[in-house]
Amino acid sequence: MTTSSPSSPHGPGSSRPNGSSVPSPPLPNVTGGLLLSGTEHPGFFDSAWNPAFFAPSFHSAGFADWGRAHTWEVEVGSIPAARATAVSESEWAQHGLRRRRVSRTGLRAFARRLLPTLNAAFAQLPYYTQISRAQLQSQMAGLPALMDPALVLDIVGSDEPEAAPSRCFTLVIPDPVPILRRHGGRLGPRAILELVINRRRLRDAVLIIQGTDPRFQGQGILSLVIRDLNAGLAAGGYRRLRVTFIAEDNPASAAVFERSGGRVLHELTFLDRHLTAASTPVPLEEHGR
């Protein structure tokens, strides 16, 4: 979960043991990716950004693209009315579902419920690594000060207990980039205080993550969730929703935002480079021999 802007300073690419490399993200959480196009658009929370010259520089150094993806942007005022009508409790019940409301104090419990669904939903994607509860809690630290409860959806079966894992969830937050930039990208005490005071003035939102339990995919749950989310965005006076990267091998997720009138904002990729014995760096302990 990161941020950036065209005017932000960016570090060099950070190498990894397998030879892959991505530009270093400038803000608190960890997000990878190299922008191939759309660099004229600023980054947003939990997204990568880099100058246009980065991509040809990496390619000329022998790096190959891997796992292409896109970020998306949806203008809230342009969402078709049929896709921005709130889902009533009775309509949820008709589908054998209910929406659990998530408060700021209930965010930790929400994280526990979504974790098994998150890991199951993304298990088949080649770039995903299973995460632990501690890792998820760390990534969500500070969000209670920022979140808008109307934009967090947690769907469960009508008759399932309160602690049951989510069947489908969506985590959307107001985009804190304008405030974080004033604090050098650090979500420290001063930044959190400013977020608490000014969060109602943040008019852009970011979809951090969404997921559907594979056992319940193909039943139209996500379409209902996005409809309810769109209604919450409109009711909250948000201008646009930006969506963190969706891989090209996950077209079903992209279609949800396309049907809401969304458009691709950035094209990005991860990078891979095969290292031969001659190109392998000398271990640190061998320097000076």
Side-chain angles (χ1 to χ4, degrees), residues 61-78:
F63 287 87
D65 293 345
W66 179 87
R68 287 202 178 198
H70 301 93
T71 67
W72 286 74
E73 182 176 82
V74 180
E75 296 288 342
V76 175
S78 300

PDB file of all heavy atoms in Angstrom, residues 61-78:
ATOM      1  N   ALA A  61      19.217  -1.701 -20.489  1.00  0.00           N
ATOM      2  CA  ALA A  61      20.145  -2.408 -19.600  1.00  0.00           C
ATOM      3  C   ALA A  61      19.892  -3.909 -19.574  1.00  0.00           C
ATOM      4  O   ALA A  61      20.538  -4.637 -18.811  1.00  0.00           O
ATOM      5  CB  ALA A  61      20.046  -1.831 -18.187  1.00  0.00           C
ATOM      6  N   GLY A  62      18.938  -4.370 -20.398  1.00  0.00           N
ATOM      7  CA  GLY A  62      18.723  -5.803 -20.513  1.00  0.00           C
ATOM      8  C   GLY A  62      17.577  -6.366 -19.710  1.00  0.00           C
ATOM      9  O   GLY A  62      17.396  -7.587 -19.654  1.00  0.00           O
ATOM     10  N   PHE A  63      16.779  -5.500 -19.079  1.00  0.00           N
ATOM     11  CA  PHE A  63      15.638  -5.983 -18.322  1.00  0.00           C
ATOM     12  C   PHE A  63      14.458  -6.226 -19.255  1.00  0.00           C
ATOM     13  O   PHE A  63      14.182  -5.434 -20.163  1.00  0.00           O
ATOM     14  CB  PHE A  63      15.237  -4.968 -17.247  1.00  0.00           C
ATOM     15  CG  PHE A  63      16.203  -4.906 -16.094  1.00  0.00           C
ATOM     16  CD1 PHE A  63      17.315  -4.076 -16.156  1.00  0.00           C
ATOM     17  CD2 PHE A  63      16.011  -5.674 -14.967  1.00  0.00           C
ATOM     18  CE1 PHE A  63      18.216  -4.015 -15.109  1.00  0.00           C
ATOM     19  CE2 PHE A  63      16.903  -5.627 -13.911  1.00  0.00           C
ATOM     20  CZ  PHE A  63      18.011  -4.790 -13.974  1.00  0.00           C
ATOM     21  N   ALA A  64      13.746  -7.317 -19.026  1.00  0.00           N
ATOM     22  CA  ALA A  64      12.564  -7.661 -19.809  1.00  0.00           C
ATOM     23  C   ALA A  64      11.310  -7.452 -18.971  1.00  0.00           C
ATOM     24  O   ALA A  64      11.333  -7.589 -17.739  1.00  0.00           O
ATOM     25  CB  ALA A  64      12.644  -9.120 -20.269  1.00  0.00           C
ATOM     26  N   ASP A  65      10.206  -7.120 -19.632  1.00  0.00           N
ATOM     27  CA  ASP A  65       8.938  -6.909 -18.933  1.00  0.00           C
ATOM     28  C   ASP A  65       8.378  -8.232 -18.425  1.00  0.00           C
ATOM     29  O   ASP A  65       8.497  -9.277 -19.072  1.00  0.00           O
ATOM     30  CB  ASP A  65       7.911  -6.268 -19.870  1.00  0.00           C
ATOM     31  CG  ASP A  65       8.288  -4.849 -20.271  1.00  0.00           C
ATOM     32  OD1 ASP A  65       9.165  -4.273 -19.610  1.00  0.00           O
ATOM     33  OD2 ASP A  65       7.706  -4.325 -21.240  1.00  0.00           O
ATOM     34  N   TRP A  66       7.771  -8.153 -17.257  1.00  0.00           N
ATOM     35  CA  TRP A  66       7.086  -9.317 -16.677  1.00  0.00           C
ATOM     36  C   TRP A  66       5.867  -8.825 -15.913  1.00  0.00           C
ATOM     37  O   TRP A  66       5.958  -7.872 -15.144  1.00  0.00           O
ATOM     38  CB  TRP A  66       8.018 -10.076 -15.722  1.00  0.00           C
ATOM     39  CG  TRP A  66       7.350 -11.260 -15.075  1.00  0.00           C
ATOM     40  CD1 TRP A  66       7.263 -12.518 -15.570  1.00  0.00           C
ATOM     41  CD2 TRP A  66       6.650 -11.279 -13.815  1.00  0.00           C
ATOM     42  NE1 TRP A  66       6.564 -13.328 -14.714  1.00  0.00           N
ATOM     43  CE2 TRP A  66       6.173 -12.589 -13.626  1.00  0.00           C
ATOM     44  CE3 TRP A  66       6.372 -10.307 -12.850  1.00  0.00           C
ATOM     45  CZ2 TRP A  66       5.436 -12.958 -12.506  1.00  0.00           C
ATOM     46  CZ3 TRP A  66       5.639 -10.676 -11.734  1.00  0.00           C
ATOM     47  CH2 TRP A  66       5.185 -11.985 -11.552  1.00  0.00           C
ATOM     48  N   GLY A  67       4.722  -9.443 -16.135  1.00  0.00           N
ATOM     49  CA  GLY A  67       3.531  -9.129 -15.354  1.00  0.00           C
ATOM     50  C   GLY A  67       2.976  -7.738 -15.612  1.00  0.00           C
ATOM     51  O   GLY A  67       2.789  -6.957 -14.684  1.00  0.00           O
ATOM     52  N   ARG A  68       2.693  -7.430 -16.877  1.00  0.00           N
ATOM     53  CA  ARG A  68       2.139  -6.107 -17.189  1.00  0.00           C
ATOM     54  C   ARG A  68       0.790  -5.902 -16.508  1.00  0.00           C
ATOM     55  O   ARG A  68       0.025  -6.837 -16.305  1.00  0.00           O
ATOM     56  CB  ARG A  68       1.999  -5.929 -18.697  1.00  0.00           C
ATOM     57  CG  ARG A  68       3.331  -5.723 -19.405  1.00  0.00           C
ATOM     58  CD  ARG A  68       3.133  -5.046 -20.744  1.00  0.00           C
ATOM     59  NE  ARG A  68       4.402  -4.797 -21.410  1.00  0.00           N
ATOM     60  CZ  ARG A  68       4.542  -3.938 -22.406  1.00  0.00           C
ATOM     61  NH1 ARG A  68       3.505  -3.256 -22.862  1.00  0.00           N
ATOM     62  NH2 ARG A  68       5.722  -3.760 -22.971  1.00  0.00           N
ATOM     63  N   ALA A  69       0.497  -4.643 -16.182  1.00  0.00           N
ATOM     64  CA  ALA A  69      -0.721  -4.322 -15.451  1.00  0.00           C
ATOM     65  C   ALA A  69      -1.129  -2.878 -15.742  1.00  0.00           C
ATOM     66  O   ALA A  69      -0.400  -2.145 -16.427  1.00  0.00           O
ATOM     67  CB  ALA A  69      -0.495  -4.515 -13.949  1.00  0.00           C
ATOM     68  N   HIS A  70      -2.285  -2.480 -15.233  1.00  0.00           N
ATOM     69  CA  HIS A  70      -2.783  -1.116 -15.424  1.00  0.00           C
ATOM     70  C   HIS A  70      -3.420  -0.609 -14.134  1.00  0.00           C
ATOM     71  O   HIS A  70      -3.996  -1.378 -13.373  1.00  0.00           O
ATOM     72  CB  HIS A  70      -3.844  -1.065 -16.529  1.00  0.00           C
ATOM     73  CG  HIS A  70      -3.361  -1.538 -17.866  1.00  0.00           C
ATOM     74  ND1 HIS A  70      -3.512  -2.838 -18.283  1.00  0.00           N
ATOM     75  CD2 HIS A  70      -2.707  -0.883 -18.867  1.00  0.00           C
ATOM     76  CE1 HIS A  70      -2.986  -2.969 -19.498  1.00  0.00           C
ATOM     77  NE2 HIS A  70      -2.486  -1.812 -19.871  1.00  0.00           N
ATOM     78  N   THR A  71      -3.286   0.677 -13.899  1.00  0.00           N
ATOM     79  CA  THR A  71      -4.127   1.332 -12.899  1.00  0.00           C
ATOM     80  C   THR A  71      -5.313   1.938 -13.642  1.00  0.00           C
ATOM     81  O   THR A  71      -5.261   2.167 -14.854  1.00  0.00           O
ATOM     82  CB  THR A  71      -3.382   2.433 -12.126  1.00  0.00           C
ATOM     83  OG1 THR A  71      -3.082   3.518 -13.022  1.00  0.00           O
ATOM     84  CG2 THR A  71      -2.094   1.905 -11.522  1.00  0.00           C
ATOM     85  N   TRP A  72      -6.389   2.194 -12.897  1.00  0.00           N
ATOM     86  CA  TRP A  72      -7.625   2.678 -13.506  1.00  0.00           C
ATOM     87  C   TRP A  72      -8.113   3.923 -12.787  1.00  0.00           C
ATOM     88  O   TRP A  72      -7.796   4.150 -11.602  1.00  0.00           O
ATOM     89  CB  TRP A  72      -8.716   1.603 -13.448  1.00  0.00           C
ATOM     90  CG  TRP A  72      -8.500   0.488 -14.420  1.00  0.00           C
ATOM     91  CD1 TRP A  72      -7.574  -0.524 -14.332  1.00  0.00           C
ATOM     92  CD2 TRP A  72      -9.223   0.266 -15.633  1.00  0.00           C
ATOM     93  NE1 TRP A  72      -7.679  -1.340 -15.411  1.00  0.00           N
ATOM     94  CE2 TRP A  72      -8.678  -0.895 -16.232  1.00  0.00           C
ATOM     95  CE3 TRP A  72     -10.274   0.933 -16.267  1.00  0.00           C
ATOM     96  CZ2 TRP A  72      -9.146  -1.403 -17.440  1.00  0.00           C
ATOM     97  CZ3 TRP A  72     -10.749   0.418 -17.471  1.00  0.00           C
ATOM     98  CH2 TRP A  72     -10.185  -0.729 -18.045  1.00  0.00           C
ATOM     99  N   GLU A  73      -8.895   4.710 -13.503  1.00  0.00           N
ATOM    100  CA  GLU A  73      -9.527   5.895 -12.924  1.00  0.00           C
ATOM    101  C   GLU A  73     -10.988   5.939 -13.356  1.00  0.00           C
ATOM    102  O   GLU A  73     -11.292   5.761 -14.538  1.00  0.00           O
ATOM    103  CB  GLU A  73      -8.804   7.163 -13.370  1.00  0.00           C
ATOM    104  CG  GLU A  73      -9.391   8.442 -12.767  1.00  0.00           C
ATOM    105  CD  GLU A  73      -8.589   9.669 -13.163  1.00  0.00           C
ATOM    106  OE1 GLU A  73      -8.803  10.182 -14.284  1.00  0.00           O
ATOM    107  OE2 GLU A  73      -7.750  10.106 -12.361  1.00  0.00           O
ATOM    108  N   VAL A  74     -11.864   6.176 -12.394  1.00  0.00           N
ATOM    109  CA  VAL A  74     -13.299   6.273 -12.650  1.00  0.00           C
ATOM    110  C   VAL A  74     -13.786   7.635 -12.181  1.00  0.00           C
ATOM    111  O   VAL A  74     -13.631   7.972 -10.997  1.00  0.00           O
ATOM    112  CB  VAL A  74     -14.088   5.168 -11.918  1.00  0.00           C
ATOM    113  CG1 VAL A  74     -15.583   5.293 -12.197  1.00  0.00           C
ATOM    114  CG2 VAL A  74     -13.578   3.777 -12.316  1.00  0.00           C
ATOM    115  N   GLU A  75     -14.342   8.424 -13.089  1.00  0.00           N
ATOM    116  CA  GLU A  75     -14.961   9.699 -12.717  1.00  0.00           C
ATOM    117  C   GLU A  75     -16.328   9.400 -12.101  1.00  0.00           C
ATOM    118  O   GLU A  75     -17.213   8.866 -12.775  1.00  0.00           O
ATOM    119  CB  GLU A  75     -15.112  10.606 -13.939  1.00  0.00           C
ATOM    120  CG  GLU A  75     -13.799  11.031 -14.584  1.00  0.00           C
ATOM    121  CD  GLU A  75     -13.044  12.050 -13.742  1.00  0.00           C
ATOM    122  OE1 GLU A  75     -13.669  12.669 -12.851  1.00  0.00           O
ATOM    123  OE2 GLU A  75     -11.835  12.226 -13.994  1.00  0.00           O
ATOM    124  N   VAL A  76     -16.476   9.727 -10.829  1.00  0.00           N
ATOM    125  CA  VAL A  76     -17.693   9.350 -10.114  1.00  0.00           C
ATOM    126  C   VAL A  76     -18.944   9.944 -10.762  1.00  0.00           C
ATOM    127  O   VAL A  76     -19.975   9.276 -10.890  1.00  0.00           O
ATOM    128  CB  VAL A  76     -17.602   9.764  -8.627  1.00  0.00           C
ATOM    129  CG1 VAL A  76     -18.913   9.490  -7.899  1.00  0.00           C
ATOM    130  CG2 VAL A  76     -16.452   9.009  -7.951  1.00  0.00           C
ATOM    131  N   GLY A  77     -18.845  11.197 -11.223  1.00  0.00           N
ATOM    132  CA  GLY A  77     -20.002  11.838 -11.832  1.00  0.00           C
ATOM    133  C   GLY A  77     -20.421  11.233 -13.146  1.00  0.00           C
ATOM    134  O   GLY A  77     -21.527  11.506 -13.633  1.00  0.00           O
ATOM    135  N   SER A  78     -19.575  10.392 -13.744  1.00  0.00           N
ATOM    136  CA  SER A  78     -19.879   9.776 -15.033  1.00  0.00           C
ATOM    137  C   SER A  78     -20.325   8.324 -14.911  1.00  0.00           C
ATOM    138  O   SER A  78     -20.587   7.672 -15.930  1.00  0.00           O
ATOM    139  CB  SER A  78     -18.642   9.844 -15.947  1.00  0.00           C
ATOM    140  OG  SER A  78     -18.260  11.189 -16.175  1.00  0.00           O
TER     141      SER A  78
END
